[in-house]
PDB file of all heavy atoms in Angstrom:
ATOM      1  N   ASP A1468      -9.347   7.999  -9.490  1.00  0.00           N
ATOM      2  CA  ASP A1468     -10.360   9.010  -9.783  1.00  0.00           C
ATOM      3  C   ASP A1468     -11.142   8.606 -11.025  1.00  0.00           C
ATOM      4  O   ASP A1468     -12.320   8.906 -11.163  1.00  0.00           O
ATOM      5  CB  ASP A1468      -9.715  10.375 -10.026  1.00  0.00           C
ATOM      6  CG  ASP A1468      -9.012  10.908  -8.794  1.00  0.00           C
ATOM      7  OD1 ASP A1468      -9.527  10.709  -7.679  1.00  0.00           O
ATOM      8  OD2 ASP A1468      -7.940  11.520  -8.956  1.00  0.00           O
ATOM      9  N   ARG A1469     -10.441   7.937 -11.955  1.00  0.00           N
ATOM     10  CA  ARG A1469     -11.041   7.475 -13.201  1.00  0.00           C
ATOM     11  C   ARG A1469     -10.577   6.034 -13.430  1.00  0.00           C
ATOM     12  O   ARG A1469      -9.450   5.678 -13.116  1.00  0.00           O
ATOM     13  CB  ARG A1469     -10.579   8.324 -14.387  1.00  0.00           C
ATOM     14  CG  ARG A1469     -10.722   9.810 -14.187  1.00  0.00           C
ATOM     15  CD  ARG A1469     -11.998  10.435 -14.613  1.00  0.00           C
ATOM     16  NE  ARG A1469     -12.345  10.110 -15.973  1.00  0.00           N
ATOM     17  CZ  ARG A1469     -13.605  10.137 -16.397  1.00  0.00           C
ATOM     18  NH1 ARG A1469     -14.570  10.463 -15.579  1.00  0.00           N
ATOM     19  NH2 ARG A1469     -13.901   9.849 -17.634  1.00  0.00           N
ATOM     20  N   ILE A1470     -11.462   5.225 -14.001  1.00  0.00           N
ATOM     21  CA  ILE A1470     -11.197   3.809 -14.275  1.00  0.00           C
ATOM     22  C   ILE A1470     -11.402   3.562 -15.769  1.00  0.00           C
ATOM     23  O   ILE A1470     -12.369   4.062 -16.352  1.00  0.00           O
ATOM     24  CB  ILE A1470     -12.175   2.899 -13.489  1.00  0.00           C
ATOM     25  CG1 ILE A1470     -12.001   3.054 -11.998  1.00  0.00           C
ATOM     26  CG2 ILE A1470     -12.100   1.453 -13.942  1.00  0.00           C
ATOM     27  CD1 ILE A1470     -10.917   2.216 -11.388  1.00  0.00           C
ATOM     28  N   VAL A1471     -10.520   2.785 -16.355  1.00  0.00           N
ATOM     29  CA  VAL A1471     -10.709   2.286 -17.718  1.00  0.00           C
ATOM     30  C   VAL A1471     -10.656   0.766 -17.625  1.00  0.00           C
ATOM     31  O   VAL A1471      -9.685   0.207 -17.123  1.00  0.00           O
ATOM     32  CB  VAL A1471      -9.622   2.801 -18.681  1.00  0.00           C
ATOM     33  CG1 VAL A1471      -9.786   2.180 -20.062  1.00  0.00           C
ATOM     34  CG2 VAL A1471      -9.655   4.322 -18.776  1.00  0.00           C
ATOM     35  N   VAL A1472     -11.704   0.099 -18.084  1.00  0.00           N
ATOM     36  CA  VAL A1472     -11.762  -1.367 -18.074  1.00  0.00           C
ATOM     37  C   VAL A1472     -11.521  -1.847 -19.495  1.00  0.00           C
ATOM     38  O   VAL A1472     -12.220  -1.437 -20.427  1.00  0.00           O
ATOM     39  CB  VAL A1472     -13.128  -1.883 -17.561  1.00  0.00           C
ATOM     40  CG1 VAL A1472     -13.160  -3.408 -17.573  1.00  0.00           C
ATOM     41  CG2 VAL A1472     -13.422  -1.347 -16.172  1.00  0.00           C
ATOM     42  N   LEU A1473     -10.514  -2.708 -19.642  1.00  0.00           N
ATOM     43  CA  LEU A1473     -10.192  -3.272 -20.950  1.00  0.00           C
ATOM     44  C   LEU A1473     -10.613  -4.735 -21.006  1.00  0.00           C
ATOM     45  O   LEU A1473     -10.480  -5.460 -20.022  1.00  0.00           O
ATOM     46  CB  LEU A1473      -8.684  -3.199 -21.205  1.00  0.00           C
ATOM     47  CG  LEU A1473      -8.058  -1.815 -21.236  1.00  0.00           C
ATOM     48  CD1 LEU A1473      -6.536  -1.928 -21.350  1.00  0.00           C
ATOM     49  CD2 LEU A1473      -8.609  -1.006 -22.386  1.00  0.00           C
ATOM     50  N   ASP A1474     -11.082  -5.152 -22.158  1.00  0.00           N
ATOM     51  CA  ASP A1474     -11.386  -6.560 -22.412  1.00  0.00           C
ATOM     52  C   ASP A1474     -10.778  -6.910 -23.762  1.00  0.00           C
ATOM     53  O   ASP A1474     -11.188  -6.356 -24.790  1.00  0.00           O
ATOM     54  CB  ASP A1474     -12.890  -6.794 -22.413  1.00  0.00           C
ATOM     55  CG  ASP A1474     -13.259  -8.259 -22.540  1.00  0.00           C
ATOM     56  OD1 ASP A1474     -12.400  -9.121 -22.252  1.00  0.00           O
ATOM     57  OD2 ASP A1474     -14.406  -8.553 -22.924  1.00  0.00           O
ATOM     58  N   LYS A1475      -9.781  -7.771 -23.756  1.00  0.00           N
ATOM     59  CA  LYS A1475      -9.076  -8.171 -24.977  1.00  0.00           C
ATOM     60  C   LYS A1475      -8.551  -6.948 -25.728  1.00  0.00           C
ATOM     61  O   LYS A1475      -8.638  -6.872 -26.951  1.00  0.00           O
ATOM     62  CB  LYS A1475      -9.979  -9.025 -25.849  1.00  0.00           C
ATOM     63  CG  LYS A1475     -10.407 -10.302 -25.167  1.00  0.00           C
ATOM     64  CD  LYS A1475     -11.343 -11.114 -26.028  1.00  0.00           C
ATOM     65  CE  LYS A1475     -11.757 -12.331 -25.229  1.00  0.00           C
ATOM     66  NZ  LYS A1475     -13.177 -12.541 -25.220  1.00  0.00           N
ATOM     67  N   GLY A1476      -8.035  -5.970 -24.970  1.00  0.00           N
ATOM     68  CA  GLY A1476      -7.430  -4.791 -25.569  1.00  0.00           C
ATOM     69  C   GLY A1476      -8.393  -3.690 -25.961  1.00  0.00           C
ATOM     70  O   GLY A1476      -7.972  -2.645 -26.441  1.00  0.00           O
ATOM     71  N   ARG A1477      -9.674  -3.895 -25.755  1.00  0.00           N
ATOM     72  CA  ARG A1477     -10.673  -2.874 -26.106  1.00  0.00           C
ATOM     73  C   ARG A1477     -11.268  -2.261 -24.846  1.00  0.00           C
ATOM     74  O   ARG A1477     -11.524  -2.961 -23.865  1.00  0.00           O
ATOM     75  CB  ARG A1477     -11.798  -3.477 -26.942  1.00  0.00           C
ATOM     76  CG  ARG A1477     -11.327  -3.970 -28.289  1.00  0.00           C
ATOM     77  CD  ARG A1477     -12.529  -4.403 -29.131  1.00  0.00           C
ATOM     78  NE  ARG A1477     -12.094  -4.772 -30.453  1.00  0.00           N
ATOM     79  CZ  ARG A1477     -12.108  -3.949 -31.498  1.00  0.00           C
ATOM     80  NH1 ARG A1477     -12.543  -2.720 -31.361  1.00  0.00           N
ATOM     81  NH2 ARG A1477     -11.684  -4.364 -32.668  1.00  0.00           N
ATOM     82  N   ILE A1478     -11.511  -0.967 -24.895  1.00  0.00           N
ATOM     83  CA  ILE A1478     -12.147  -0.282 -23.772  1.00  0.00           C
ATOM     84  C   ILE A1478     -13.627  -0.657 -23.742  1.00  0.00           C
ATOM     85  O   ILE A1478     -14.343  -0.481 -24.733  1.00  0.00           O
ATOM     86  CB  ILE A1478     -11.993   1.250 -23.895  1.00  0.00           C
ATOM     87  CG1 ILE A1478     -10.518   1.632 -23.809  1.00  0.00           C
ATOM     88  CG2 ILE A1478     -12.820   1.958 -22.824  1.00  0.00           C
ATOM     89  CD1 ILE A1478     -10.236   3.092 -24.107  1.00  0.00           C
ATOM     90  N   VAL A1479     -14.067  -1.224 -22.617  1.00  0.00           N
ATOM     91  CA  VAL A1479     -15.471  -1.606 -22.470  1.00  0.00           C
ATOM     92  C   VAL A1479     -16.190  -0.751 -21.430  1.00  0.00           C
ATOM     93  O   VAL A1479     -17.416  -0.771 -21.351  1.00  0.00           O
ATOM     94  CB  VAL A1479     -15.629  -3.108 -22.147  1.00  0.00           C
ATOM     95  CG1 VAL A1479     -15.156  -3.960 -23.325  1.00  0.00           C
ATOM     96  CG2 VAL A1479     -14.884  -3.485 -20.882  1.00  0.00           C
TER      97      VAL A1479
END
Side-chain angles (χ1 to χ4, degrees):
D1468 296 322
R1469 309 270 308 155
I1470 297 275
V1471 176
V1472 180
L1473 299 174
D1474 185 20
K1475 299 178 183 131
R1477 295 187 175 264
I1478 296 172
V1479 294

